[in-house]
Amino acid sequence: MTFTFDVGSCTDRGRKRPVNEDSYALWLPSEPAEQARVGALFIVADGMGGHARGEIASRLAIETLAEELASLPPATPGPDVEAALRRAVQAANRAILERAAREPDKAGMGTTLTALRIVEQDDGAPGYRIAHVGDSRAYRLRAGTLELLTRDHTWVQLEVERGTLTPELARVHPFASVLVRAVGIEPEAEPDLLRGRIEPGDLYLLCSDGLTTALEDRELKDLLDATAPLQPLARRLVDAANERGGPDNITVVLLRAA
Ligand code: CA
């Protein structure tokens, strides 16, 4: 694998919520060879539960996921990474349920979880594997086209797929943020598992819904600059969501293959 990766990240409470219940993590070994062998990992988790319980849930989910994946043998091939991601999401689900059972004031806390791991594919080229639960999102900007890779696990998304709501109405629907899948709520959490090849110049965005409820996809595309340094770009995306009122916590993780 010959690519190197640039990263940027930013999280913000926004302008309406008393605390930031989002969490994120990025692990990027500095050596390109290590990035392929050990695996780089990027995670966004959007906690829910109020009174900072969501922050505990999102942090616990990320810690558990990272711990589980740290035990993966080096150079784990693609399909095994997907199985490991699935097990790691289920371990995060159990960790939150167990904590809530031990501490009744934490009952009902949960989180979204969108995790992207870099893998080395059979031909030596880099690829990604994504595990996803909830309404945080993963996007890819490739050759000027922004593509949403994940599917929101929301009630309105199901209605859009059934044809009973338009995407435009779904955005402003009173139930727009009602999740049909989350981590830490039900006895089992089933992640969507996605895979793809990474091309040079690809820009990946992981974000919480505080970004995407404030900004539409075409606005995101205008803000995402294929060549800009990623740390200031992450800040710029968060600032743009705050300029729209910052109704929710906002988290952005950016990754570019160079
Ligand atoms: Ca949120």
Side-chain angles (χ1 to χ4, degrees):
M1 188 163 82
T2 53
F3 294 172
T4 58
F5 291 95
D6 294 329
V7 296
S9 59
C10 189
T11 190
D12 193 85
R13 184 168 59 84
R15 292 192 171 158
K16 298 281 159 55
R17 298 287 172 91
V19 290
N20 189 351
E21 297 187 299
D22 288 357
S23 296
Y24 75 95
L26 40 95
W27 283 273
L28 184 71
S30 55
E31 290 294 316
E34 287 293 287
Q35 290 171 9
R37 199 176 65 77
V38 178
L41 178 65
F42 307 85
I43 314 172
V44 167
D46 175 352
M48 65 202 84
H51 305 288
R53 289 186 288 252
E55 187 188 358
I56 293 165
S58 61
R59 181 48 48 196
L60 185 55
I62 285 180
E63 286 168 0
T64 307
L65 194 86
E67 252 169 56
E68 291 285 318
L69 293 176
S71 60
L72 266 188
T76 305
D80 290 351
V81 171
E82 281 163 71
L85 277 167
R86 186 166 177 272
R87 282 197 304 274
V89 169
Q90 289 169 343
N93 192 62
R94 281 194 302 277
I96 294 171
L97 286 172
E98 284 164 12
R99 178 87 182 263
R102 282 199 311 275
E103 301 173 30
D105 65 313
K106 310 283 190 313
M109 69 176 178
T111 186
T112 72
L113 196 56
T114 300
L116 183 153
R117 189 176 168 109
I118 306 290
V119 297
E120 186 169 0
Q121 307 203 127
D122 293 343
D123 61 359
Y128 65 82
R129 302 291 182 267
I130 291 171
H132 164 70
V133 180
D135 67 350
S136 299
R137 289 180 173 179
Y139 288 89
R140 176 180 62 207
L141 181 71
R142 174 180 287 175
T145 301
L146 184 68
E147 186 183 352
L148 175 59
L149 301 175
T150 49
R151 174 175 166 264
D152 293 347
H153 297 140
T154 54
W155 180 82
V156 291
Q157 177 61 30
L158 292 178
E159 294 302 309
V160 168
E161 289 166 13
R162 286 190 190 112
T164 55
L165 266 184
T166 63
E168 293 73 27
L169 281 175
R171 280 186 70 79
V172 295
H173 197 282
F175 299 156
S177 60
V178 173
L179 296 180
V180 293
R181 261 199 257 178
V183 175
I185 303 292
E186 302 283 342
E188 297 290 329
E190 192 58 42
D192 288 347
L193 296 167
L194 312 164
R195 54 158 67 198
R197 192 182 169 88
I198 296 177
E199 303 287 349
D202 277 0
L203 178 61
Y204 293 85
L205 162 67
L206 305 185
C207 61
S208 62
D209 70 330
L211 184 75
T212 50
T213 52
L215 301 167
E216 295 187 29
D217 285 4
R218 61 181 169 75
E219 295 172 304
L220 279 182
K221 180 174 171 289
D222 288 344
L223 285 162
L224 285 169
D225 181 323
T227 55
L230 293 188
Q231 193 53 41
L233 182 57
R235 179 78 244 175
R236 211 147 60 230
L237 290 169
V238 167
D239 288 347
N242 273 327
E243 281 157 20
R244 291 287 171 80
D248 196 0
N249 308 145
I250 309 150
T251 300
V252 168
V253 171
L254 292 168
L255 164 72
R256 181 194 290 126

